[in-house]
């Protein structure tokens, strides 16, 4: 059957579902329907909903309904198979607007005219077209800039837990992020999946206060919206981000919260379809599915725009080996890990620097980018701080009095590092120089012989301790 | 499409398509689906129905769409022009796809893996009338400054007398360079051949593995060596440096050709290799690393079935170069993603799962893949090797999961990456406690020949010390370091020194990123000598504090950056002697 015939068939209206199960509906005896194509449903009250073909055969078609199936009945629901994938009309004028997961306006104002219709599933970027990201983003947060540097075009998730201040941190990054020496500002695509209204409200008011709201496009699928809508929300957001970055040369920061809710919606659909689960009931394709979202970031050769992703996920039970953080960590270029213990010590941001990592950092820091001593300094801070953990363990066994003089210095270093270097106010915007100098101040507590990862020149220039 | 229709689509479920009305399809046959021509492979036949695994996104494919045959199994095209290229999982050249469809990969694209227009300088190495057999080298083509490509009689040829050999000159790959008058009639040999990816290329015999693959990474070469033709698994949770280790080996190991398979990994990592390798000059050949590298990039967001095929595509190309007598190292990053692709496809085909949803045939597939490695005597009498370095990404960093466990059964070398080391930024984070290499006895002779016999003994000593250190550390955790006698504290001191000065290696430091064999031997010797002399001195009542304060000891800790190691050794002997005399 060719394309034209199928287009004509899309005008056909079908009525009479054979089965409704959760967010899935089944229809028998249709014309040949293409996989993944868009379906329009008209419920008995005459309202339109949209869905997507999940399974198609000559017997029956299985459709996933993004607005949920409540209110549908078997005989009166009407279906149109649109013979095209789900598309989103994108335009720059969506910045400053609040939308639902499918890109419909939520703010009651008329939708802007779309410049372009894009398949929301996107296509993989050809690896030969990618530009390797190496431009440093200054977030003004010491522990990120200094030790887990964010790079333009990177995907760097925040692994958090319930009750930890990941939203404050994400909002702070969104407010403060800048590329030094460039005037072009970030525009932000904010994707909310299954979060509470007051959290969305917090982000909106934070954007409002810093005067960036007109540069933010919000896609909200809140906790009381159908869970299935969460599956399409990040795709809509990323489709707009791709338009802004690669058609309009903008620097785009995509904040996605909370990925855990997205994965749960995926599990829900998978279970409904009776698929064989892999770990903890999550479908075997969770990795590929997450990769299709996360890999939609980066830079393309010959284009000045970029997509930087900051997904936020709450680790169930603070377990970093849970499938969601685990698979995310395998796809993203590093991770920022929150630590409940630091949080209870009153340290903000409670970022545990040892398990946190930025894979793209090595090419984005150092001479000409941040400062010459940055790579070695970061390395030394990691090494020394990891020794602090050992000393603290020892102290808890044999008592602090029994420690050697050197061990005491490590304890002091650890305290300074946590209270002065990591800890900062949620509106404090430190320059990279301030951050690095603070790092040196911390290291100056330790004797010079302990600094084996720094060169003699760096020590003589910056080291202030040792007398 | 001129191809014959062999059936119609019945059902579409993700990358798996069920076809009905199948007239004559063969298992593993390559087929095209729909008018758009998506590439797929027949994986199951039953009652006039075929299950097809599709290598591209199936959006829009509907029941009743036609299925066309390609008249053959999924194959790769082999010939000059492979080196320096970047392919997707089913050998489509990504550069050409980019030229055709732009920065994003669209579906149904067709592109020839190697150029059929480009002219190559062909020099025959046989003459008319010679008798040739499968595998015989009939001519040479300089593929680039670094690789001399041998044109061979295809492995399935029955051989015979050459009735025609082309003169020296410039030809494209389709040009007939020889004709064989065989028993079954005349056979034409061109500069390009096809080979099905799921079938190993034949060789005459397997040889013993006794030459190490030198990677320039001290912890690998000295503690856990890999033999040429061997197999190794690198398991590690995320952030432990699997990819970094693979990059380092791909950059510095002494194989002739590298096949780097990015199987379900990050797009930016492939870009990094693609941008970096042409810039790095191989110290052994003086040419850029890209002139010995073939890249296969099937990133995590590219279709999952092509990910399943990518490792076979890679190893088939490696075997082709092995047949020419080269040693090849394959980096498969990561085999877990490949296993997950198997799982996903198996699930879509509604097969009964075994462990954690993986299909029951997972161990068989892993074994089949690793068995394609080896040091071979080729059909044409040359010797070549394929070494496989497979990364494994265990979920949650837990080595007891099926892929790691099954892989361990089929590899003889294991470089376990440790999360604790990685968070302390001890790189490469290869754990000296979990890792092992069964190749140590095989390559011992080679190493001892280069170290004057000291290597195996020194290696043994340091391994024992590292084991002892673990026990000592447990004691220290309970009672503190002061409670130990100096002789035991000194063991901990030596191990700490060994970790800082030897095991850690900075991949970004020009001097340290590659460590020559001679240097590795000397560095190990210095540490062992330090241990021997120090223990002796402590027996002679020298205190540990005194040893620690020696200038030369500070320098040993920094010897990774010290050029003249012989001088350092002399200074060590001298200082320790002086110290000893002081106490007599």
């Amino acid at each position: 059957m060719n394309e034209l015939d199928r287009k004509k068939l899309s005008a056909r209206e079908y009525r009479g579902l054979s089965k409704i199960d959760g967010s899935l509906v089944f229809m028998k005896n249709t014309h040949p329907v293409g996989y993944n194509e868009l379906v329009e449903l008209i419920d008995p009250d005459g309202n339109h909903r949209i869905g997507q073909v999940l399974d198609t055969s000559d017997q029956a078609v299985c459709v996933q309904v993004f607005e949920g199936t409540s209110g549908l009945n078997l005989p009166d629901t009407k279906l149109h198979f649109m013979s095209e994938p789900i598309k989103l009309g994108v335009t720059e004028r969506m910045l400053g607007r609040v939308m639902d997961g499918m890109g419909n306006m939520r703010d009651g104002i008329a939708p802007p005219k779309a410049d372009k219709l894009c398949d929301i599933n996107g296509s993989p970027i050809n690896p030969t077209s990618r530009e390797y990201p190496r431009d440093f983003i200054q977030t003004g947060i010491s522990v990120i800039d200094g030790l887990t540097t964010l790079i333009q075009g990177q995907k760097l998730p925040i692994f958090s837990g319930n009750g930890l201040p990941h939203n404050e941190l994400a909002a702070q990054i969104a407010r403060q992020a800048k590329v030094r020496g460039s005037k072009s500002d970030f525009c932000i695509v904010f994707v909310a999946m299954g979060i509470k209204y007051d959290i969305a409200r917090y982000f909106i008011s934070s954007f409002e206060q810093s005067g960036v709201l007109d540069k933010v496009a919000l896609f909200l699928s809140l906790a009381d919206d159908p869970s299935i809508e969460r599956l399409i929300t990040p795709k809509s957001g990323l489709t707009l981000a791709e338009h802004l970055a690669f058609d309009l040369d903008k620097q785009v920061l995509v904040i996605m919260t909370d990925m855990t809710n997205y994965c749960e919606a995926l599990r829900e659909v998978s279970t409904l379809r009776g698929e064989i689960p892999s770990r903890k009931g999550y479908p075997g394709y969770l990795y590929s599915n997450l990769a299709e979202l996360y890999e939609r970031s980066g830079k393309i050769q010959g284009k000045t725009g970029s997509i930087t992703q900051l997904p936020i996920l709450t680790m169930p039970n603070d377990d970093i080996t849970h499938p969601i953080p685990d698979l995310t960590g395998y796809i993203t270029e590093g991770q920022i890990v929150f630590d409940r213990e630091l949080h209870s010590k009153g340290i903000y941001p409670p970022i545990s620097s040892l398990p946190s990592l930025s894979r793209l950092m090595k090419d984005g820091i150092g001479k000409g980018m941040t400062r010459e001593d940055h790579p070695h300094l970061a390395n030394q801070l990691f090494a020394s701080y990891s020794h602090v953990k050992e000393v603290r363990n020892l102290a808890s066994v044999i008592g602090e009095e029994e420690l050697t003089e050197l061990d005491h210095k490590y304890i002091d270093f650890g305290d300074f590092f946590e209270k002065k270097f990591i800890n900062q106010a949620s509106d404090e915007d430190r320059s990279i120089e301030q951050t690095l100098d603070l790092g040196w101040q911390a290291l100056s507590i330790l004797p010079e012989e302990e600094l084996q990862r720094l060169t003699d020149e760096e020590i003589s220039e910056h080291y202030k301790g040792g007398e | 499409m001129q191809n014959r229709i062999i059936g119609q689509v019945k059902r579409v479920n993700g990358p798996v398509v069920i076809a009905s009305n199948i007239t004559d399809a063969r298992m593993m046959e390559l087929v095209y689906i729909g008018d758009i021509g998506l590439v797929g492979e027949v994986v199951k036949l039953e009652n006039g129905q075929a299950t097809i695994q599709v290598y591209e996104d199936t959006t829009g494919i509907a029941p009743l769409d036609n299925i066309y045959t390609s008249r053959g199994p999924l194959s790769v095209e082999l010939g000059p022009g492979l080196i320096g290229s970047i392919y997707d999982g089913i050998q489509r050249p990504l550069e050409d796809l980019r030229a055709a469809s732009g920065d994003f990969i669209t579906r149904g694209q067709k592109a020839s893996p190697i150029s059929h227009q480009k002219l190559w300088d062909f020099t025959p190495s046989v003459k008319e009338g010679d008798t040739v057999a499968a595998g015989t080298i009939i001519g040479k083509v300089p593929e680039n400054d670094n690789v001399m490509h041998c044109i061979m009689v295809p492995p399935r040829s029955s051989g015979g007398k050459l009735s025609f050999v082309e003169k020296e000159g410039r030809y494209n790959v389709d040009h007939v360079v020889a004709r064989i008058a065989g028993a079954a009639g005349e056979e034409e040999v061109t500069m390009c051949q096809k080979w099905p990816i799921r079938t190993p290329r034949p060789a005459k015999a397997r040889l013993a593995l006794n030459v190490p693959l030198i990677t320039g990474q001290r912890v690998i070469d000295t503690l856990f060596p890999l033999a040429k033709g061997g197999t190794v698994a690198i398991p590690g949770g995320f952030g432990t440096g699997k990819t970094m280790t693979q990059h380092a080996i791909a950059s510095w190991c002494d194989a002739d050709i590298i096949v780097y398979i990015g199987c379900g990994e990050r797009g930016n990592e492939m870009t990094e290799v693609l941008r970096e390798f042409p810039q790095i000059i191989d110290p052994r050949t003086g040419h850029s690393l890209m002139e010995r590298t073939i890249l296969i990039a099937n990133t995590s967001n590219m279709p999952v079935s092509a990910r399943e095929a990518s490792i076979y595509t890679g190893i088939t190309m490696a075997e082709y170069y092995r047949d020419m007598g080269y040693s090849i190292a394959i980096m498969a990053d990561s085999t877990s993603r490949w296993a997950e692709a198997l799982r996903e496809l198996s699930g879509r085909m509604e097969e009964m799962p075994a462990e954690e949803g993986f299909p029951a045939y997972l161990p068989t597939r892993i074994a089949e893949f690793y068995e394609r490695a080896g040091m071979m005597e080729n059909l044409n009498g040359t010797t070549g090797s394929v070494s496989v370095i497979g990364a494994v990404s265990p979920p949650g960093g837990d080595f007891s999961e099926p892929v790691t466990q099954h892989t361990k059964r089929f590899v003889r070398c294991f470089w376990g990456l440790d999360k604790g080391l990685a968070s302390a930024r001890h790189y490469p984070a290869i754990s000296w406690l979990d890792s092992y290499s069964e190749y140590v006895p095989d390559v011992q002779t080679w190493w001892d020949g280069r170290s004057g016999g000291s290597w195996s003994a020194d290696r043994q000593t340091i391994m024992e010390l590292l084991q002892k250190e673990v026990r000592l550390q447990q004691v220290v955790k309970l009672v503190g370091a002061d409670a130990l006698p100096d002789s035991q504290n000194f063991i901990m001191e030596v191990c700490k020194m060994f970790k800082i000065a030897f095991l850690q290696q900075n991949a970004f430091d020009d001097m340290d990123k590659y460590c020559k064999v001679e240097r590795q031997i000397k560095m190990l010797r210095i540490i062992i000598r330090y241990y021997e002399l120090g223990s002796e001195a402590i027996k002679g009542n020298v205190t540990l504090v005194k040893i620690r304060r020696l200038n030369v000891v500070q320098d040993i800790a920094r010897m990774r950056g010290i050029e003249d190691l012989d001088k350092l050794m002399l200074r060590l002997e001298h200082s320790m002697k002086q110290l000893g005399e002081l106490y007599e």
Side-chain angles (χ1 to χ4, degrees):
Chain A
M1 184 167 330
N2 67 36
E3 202 74 356
L4 254 179
D5 293 341
R6 204 167 303 149
K7 270 268 179 286
K8 279 187 214 148
L9 286 171
S10 70
R12 281 198 192 170
E13 184 172 280
Y14 289 93
R15 195 189 270 255
L17 298 170
S18 63
K19 180 175 162 189
I20 305 176
D21 186 359
S23 59
L24 305 180
V25 300
F26 296 80
M27 172 70 99
K28 280 186 178 164
N29 304 323
T30 63
H31 66 269
V33 172
Y35 180 71
N36 251 351
E37 73 182 37
L38 172 66
V39 183
E40 249 187 40
L41 292 93
I42 303 164
D43 64 22
D45 301 332
N47 296 321
H48 285 247
R49 304 187 189 194
I50 67 164
Q52 187 178 16
V53 176
L54 278 194
D55 195 332
T56 172
S57 71
D58 50 1
Q59 310 285 318
V61 176
C62 167
V63 179
Q64 161 179 321
V65 186
F66 290 109
E67 283 102 333
T69 49
S70 64
L72 295 185
N73 66 5
L74 293 176
D76 298 326
T77 306
K78 296 173 209 152
L79 262 73
H80 295 267
F81 295 101
M82 307 305 284
S83 82
E84 60 172 22
I86 303 179
K87 287 185 176 166
L88 177 73
V90 289
T91 164
E92 195 181 348
R93 291 180 295 277
M94 286 161 102
L95 290 173
R97 303 295 297 270
V98 182
M99 289 156 279
D100 69 7
M102 279 145 297
N104 303 315
M105 295 302 140
R106 261 183 111 115
D107 47 12
I109 312 170
K113 193 173 160 291
D115 293 335
K116 195 178 164 192
L117 274 175
C118 298
D119 180 354
I120 61 155
N121 292 306
S123 301
I125 301 178
N126 190 321
T128 59
S129 296
R130 279 185 187 267
E131 170 91 41
Y132 190 69
R134 48 176 80 239
D135 296 319
F136 161 68
I137 297 177
Q138 182 178 306
T139 62
I141 299 159
S142 289
V143 59
I144 296 180
D145 290 351
L147 303 178
T148 326
T149 317
L150 182 65
I151 304 290
Q152 224 175 76
Q154 186 173 18
K155 38 194 181 292
L156 191 64
I158 300 176
F159 288 3
S160 181
N162 297 318
L164 295 179
H166 43 265
N167 295 320
E168 282 87 334
L169 183 71
Q172 189 179 3
I173 294 175
R175 283 195 309 268
Q176 297 181 350
K178 53 184 150 300
V179 174
R180 304 224 300 177
S182 100
K183 284 214 178 71
S184 69
D185 280 338
F186 280 94
C187 50
I188 296 162
V189 173
F190 182 80
V191 177
M193 291 159 282
I195 59 167
K196 283 186 175 332
Y197 178 76
D198 38 336
I199 294 172
R201 188 64 242 163
Y202 168 80
F203 275 101
I204 295 173
S205 65
S206 145
F207 294 143
E208 231 165 19
Q209 275 162 19
S210 49
V212 294
L213 193 58
D214 57 340
K215 276 193 241 142
V216 186
L218 294 108
F219 291 84
L220 303 184
S221 162
L222 300 176
D224 55 353
D225 292 326
S227 68
I228 202 78
E229 190 184 325
R230 292 167 202 164
L231 291 182
I232 200 169
T233 313
K235 292 185 176 168
S236 304
L238 288 166
T239 306
L240 174 63
E242 277 173 350
H243 175 66
L244 295 172
F246 303 133
D247 293 333
L248 303 171
D249 294 331
K250 286 181 184 297
Q251 311 304 328
V252 188
L253 181 67
V254 182
I255 299 174
M256 303 196 282
T257 181
D258 176 332
M259 290 308 292
T260 308
N261 294 335
Y262 172 84
C263 298
E264 253 140 39
L266 204 63
R267 175 166 70 177
E268 203 177 306
V269 175
S270 168
T271 314
L272 268 180
R273 296 178 64 196
E275 290 171 337
I276 295 163
S278 59
R279 273 203 301 156
K280 299 210 170 172
Y282 291 94
Y285 49 81
L286 180 62
Y287 178 83
S288 307
N289 198 293
L290 285 174
E292 277 165 24
L293 300 180
Y294 295 142
E295 280 288 333
R296 289 172 84 172
S297 58
K299 297 186 75 171
I300 290 182
Q301 275 177 58
K303 296 187 175 171
T304 50
S306 69
I307 299 180
T308 310
Q309 280 188 21
L310 212 59
I312 299 172
L313 57 89
T314 45
M315 297 182 277
N317 202 18
D318 290 351
D319 177 11
I320 199 168
T321 65
H322 184 280
I324 301 172
D326 191 49
L327 295 178
T328 297
Y330 276 122
I331 305 165
T332 53
E333 286 134 353
Q335 64 276 341
I336 295 173
V337 185
F338 273 27
D339 179 26
R340 207 168 282 279
E341 195 188 321
L342 281 180
H343 180 61
S344 51
K345 278 187 189 171
I347 289 165
Y348 170 87
I351 295 175
S352 177
S353 55
L354 297 180
S356 299
L357 171 78
S358 164
R359 289 166 189 273
L360 301 181
M361 171 175 177
K362 59 184 172 22
D363 295 306
I365 60 169
K367 200 174 178 182
M369 288 167 290
T370 53
R371 206 168 75 185
E372 205 171 350
D373 55 320
H374 190 170
H376 288 157
L377 176 71
N379 214 326
Q380 184 65 59
L381 285 169
F382 277 124
S384 303
Y385 187 57
S386 102
H387 188 66
V388 169
K389 298 255 160 174
E390 287 170 28
V391 173
R392 281 185 186 160
N393 284 341
L394 185 62
S396 68
V397 178
I398 62 170
E400 212 159 304
E401 312 78 58
E402 296 291 313
L403 294 179
T404 61
E405 194 189 339
L406 178 63
D407 287 345
H408 278 291
K409 282 190 173 154
Y410 268 105
I411 298 270
D412 293 344
F413 162 78
D415 290 344
F416 184 93
F417 181 78
E418 286 171 1
K419 293 198 178 108
K420 295 280 161 42
F421 184 85
I422 299 183
N423 195 22
Q424 68 184 87
S426 65
D427 56 356
E428 189 179 351
D429 190 357
R430 291 184 190 157
S431 74
I432 182 69
E433 287 78 15
Q434 282 174 305
T435 294
L436 296 178
D437 290 343
L438 260 177
W440 276 106
Q441 231 177 306
L443 287 178
S444 297
I445 297 172
L446 298 173
E448 201 182 323
E449 309 86 80
E450 289 296 303
L451 310 181
Q452 272 154 350
R453 310 220 174 172
L454 292 157
T455 64
D456 294 342
E457 296 84 65
E458 285 163 350
I459 290 179
S460 67
E461 196 181 335
H462 300 285
Y463 181 71
K464 293 181 191 71
E467 282 81 41
Chain B
M1 202 175 297
Q2 71 279 49
N3 284 324
R4 203 158 45 88
I5 295 173
I6 54 160
Q8 271 88 36
V9 172
K10 181 180 163 66
R11 179 180 172 195
V12 188
N13 180 4
V16 172
V17 166
I18 313 274
S20 58
N21 306 328
I22 290 293
T23 48
D24 72 314
R26 292 183 183 195
M27 274 300 272
M28 298 303 164
E29 181 171 334
L30 187 70
V31 293
Y32 299 107
I33 294 139
D35 293 333
I36 185 171
L38 303 184
V39 182
E41 194 180 12
V42 177
V43 291
K44 192 163 151 189
L45 287 167
E46 188 184 5
N47 294 339
Q49 289 195 5
T51 306
I52 298 163
Q53 162 176 332
V54 186
Y55 291 115
E56 293 173 87
D57 180 21
T58 50
T59 298
I61 296 296
L64 299 187
D65 281 357
N66 286 327
I67 293 170
Y68 304 87
T69 172
S70 74
R71 301 190 173 87
L74 182 59
S75 303
V76 286
E77 208 168 77
L78 303 165
L82 291 172
I83 304 274
S85 300
I86 174 164
Y87 296 107
D88 76 352
I90 48 173
Q91 214 204 7
R92 288 183 301 185
L94 289 171
E95 295 279 4
D96 293 2
L97 292 189
R98 182 183 176 200
S101 69
D103 294 328
F104 293 89
I105 298 173
T106 51
R107 299 181 303 149
Q109 294 279 333
K110 305 266 176 319
S112 178
I114 52 177
S115 166
H116 288 253
Q117 281 80 48
K118 190 173 175 183
L119 300 178
W120 300 94
D121 289 313
F122 171 78
T123 314
S125 48
V126 288
K127 52 186 190 305
E128 277 166 35
D130 286 357
T131 307
V132 295
T136 308
I137 296 170
I138 56 170
K140 304 225 164 169
V141 170
E143 189 163 353
N144 56 31
D145 296 342
N146 190 24
V147 177
M148 180 60 81
H149 195 105
C150 304
I151 306 298
M152 294 170 292
V153 176
R156 280 174 181 166
S157 162
S158 45
K161 260 201 166 68
L162 286 169
S163 59
F164 163 77
V165 176
E166 185 58 272
K167 303 187 289 294
E168 190 173 337
R170 289 170 68 78
Y171 311 104
N172 67 22
V173 291
D174 292 325
H175 188 83
V176 177
V177 290
R179 284 202 188 88
I180 306 168
E186 190 157 86
E187 191 182 341
E188 290 182 340
V189 181
T190 62
M191 291 201 273
C192 118
Q193 46 178 280
K194 284 199 162 193
W195 190 263
I197 60 168
R198 297 185 197 275
T199 316
R201 284 173 68 91
K204 207 182 273 170
R206 277 181 184 270
L207 305 174
L209 314 178
N210 45 27
V211 180
L213 182 83
I214 298 299
T215 62
Q217 311 300 306
R218 288 182 294 264
V219 57
I220 293 174
D221 292 346
T222 300
L223 293 193
F224 309 107
L226 172 66
K228 274 192 181 142
T231 50
V232 60
I234 317 180
F238 60 84
T240 50
K242 286 184 300 298
T243 304
M244 286 298 299
T245 311
Q246 296 250 18
H247 274 205
I249 298 172
S251 306
W252 308 118
C253 82
D254 66 346
D256 299 315
I257 289 159
I258 304 290
V259 179
Y260 196 104
I261 310 170
C263 172
E265 288 288 312
R266 303 174 183 90
N268 277 332
E269 279 170 3
M270 294 315 290
T271 309
E272 189 185 1
V273 176
L274 210 54
R275 302 280 167 269
E276 244 177 32
F277 274 28
Q279 319 284 335
I280 306 176
I281 301 300
D282 184 349
R284 295 179 313 116
T285 62
H287 298 295
S288 100
L289 284 178
M290 208 57 203
E291 291 184 25
R292 67 163 194 178
T293 309
I294 304 174
L295 293 175
I296 297 176
N298 211 89
T299 56
S300 53
N301 56 341
M302 283 157 79
V304 66
S305 349
R307 191 196 300 167
E308 192 269 326
S310 63
I311 68 164
Y312 297 106
T313 302
I315 202 156
T316 310
M317 290 195 241
E319 285 172 342
Y320 175 64
Y321 281 96
R322 177 205 68 200
D323 288 347
M324 299 175 201
Y326 290 114
S327 67
I328 294 98
I330 298 187
M331 317 288 142
D333 188 12
S334 137
T335 56
S336 293
R337 304 294 161 235
W338 165 77
E340 276 162 21
L342 273 185
R343 172 168 73 185
E344 183 172 339
L345 294 166
S346 158
R348 300 261 193 193
M349 288 187 259
E350 291 164 2
E351 292 171 340
M352 184 68 90
E355 284 163 280
E356 292 195 19
F358 285 105
Y361 48 77
L362 174 73
T364 325
R365 294 285 175 89
I366 294 178
E368 277 168 7
F369 172 67
Y370 281 106
E371 270 310 287
R372 288 176 77 168
M375 173 80 88
M376 305 287 192
E377 187 187 344
N378 295 318
L379 294 178
N380 53 27
T382 54
T383 306
S385 67
V386 174
S387 318
V388 178
I389 295 142
V392 182
S393 321
D398 170 16
F399 290 179
S400 67
E401 57 90 38
V403 182
T404 316
Q405 281 309 313
H406 292 308
T407 304
K408 257 182 139 167
R409 288 165 53 198
F410 307 115
V411 298
R412 290 183 57 208
C413 189
F414 187 82
W415 300 331
L417 297 174
D418 186 86
K419 192 125 207 168
L421 292 177
S423 2
R425 281 7 179 215
H426 173 119
Y427 287 124
I430 295 176
S431 157
W432 47 90
L433 300 171
D434 293 341
S435 307
Y436 60 80
S437 167
E438 293 176 25
Y439 298 111
V440 174
D442 302 339
V443 300
Q444 199 168 327
T445 327
W446 189 95
W447 274 97
D448 282 344
R450 269 156 190 79
S451 61
S454 68
W455 185 79
S456 10
D458 286 355
R459 183 184 172 279
Q460 194 54 40
T461 313
I462 200 74
M463 289 304 284
E464 276 165 22
L465 287 181
L466 289 170
Q467 293 296 335
K468 267 189 204 154
E469 192 217 5
V470 180
R471 283 203 303 277
L472 291 174
Q473 253 171 0
Q474 284 164 351
V475 178
V476 168
K477 266 187 197 143
L478 291 176
V479 295
D482 292 346
L484 291 182
D486 267 3
S487 62
Q488 293 192 329
N489 262 326
F490 184 60
I491 292 180
M492 307 231 327
E493 194 77 14
V494 170
C495 288
K496 189 176 162 199
M497 179 77 90
F498 183 65
K499 288 176 211 164
I500 293 173
F502 191 93
L503 292 181
Q504 286 187 21
Q505 201 163 345
N506 186 347
F508 308 113
D509 184 278
D510 281 332
M511 180 151 176
D512 202 29
K513 62 189 175 189
Y514 177 81
C515 189
K516 286 191 189 132
V517 171
E518 296 72 39
R519 226 180 125 74
Q520 294 194 27
I521 294 171
K522 278 182 196 161
M523 286 171 86
L524 181 62
R525 202 79 267 282
I526 288 175
I527 299 270
I528 298 293
R529 205 63 200 129
Y530 171 53
Y531 168 65
E532 290 166 354
L533 294 171
S535 314
E536 233 169 82
I538 286 172
K539 266 185 212 149
N541 292 328
V542 180
T543 58
L544 182 54
V545 184
K546 284 269 189 265
I547 298 178
R548 233 184 241 156
R549 285 217 185 114
L550 290 175
N551 273 331
V552 69
V553 173
Q554 302 282 338
D555 285 342
I556 293 176
R558 249 174 277 191
M559 71 178 160
R560 294 193 284 162
I562 293 174
E563 197 79 56
D564 193 349
L565 291 174
D566 292 329
K567 201 169 139 202
L568 186 65
M569 185 64 138
L570 287 177
R571 278 180 54 212
L572 173 67
E573 302 268 1
H574 182 72
S575 306
M576 293 303 272
K577 201 169 152 213
Q578 269 189 338
L579 193 64
E581 281 163 2
L582 215 65
Y583 273 77
E584 262 169 27

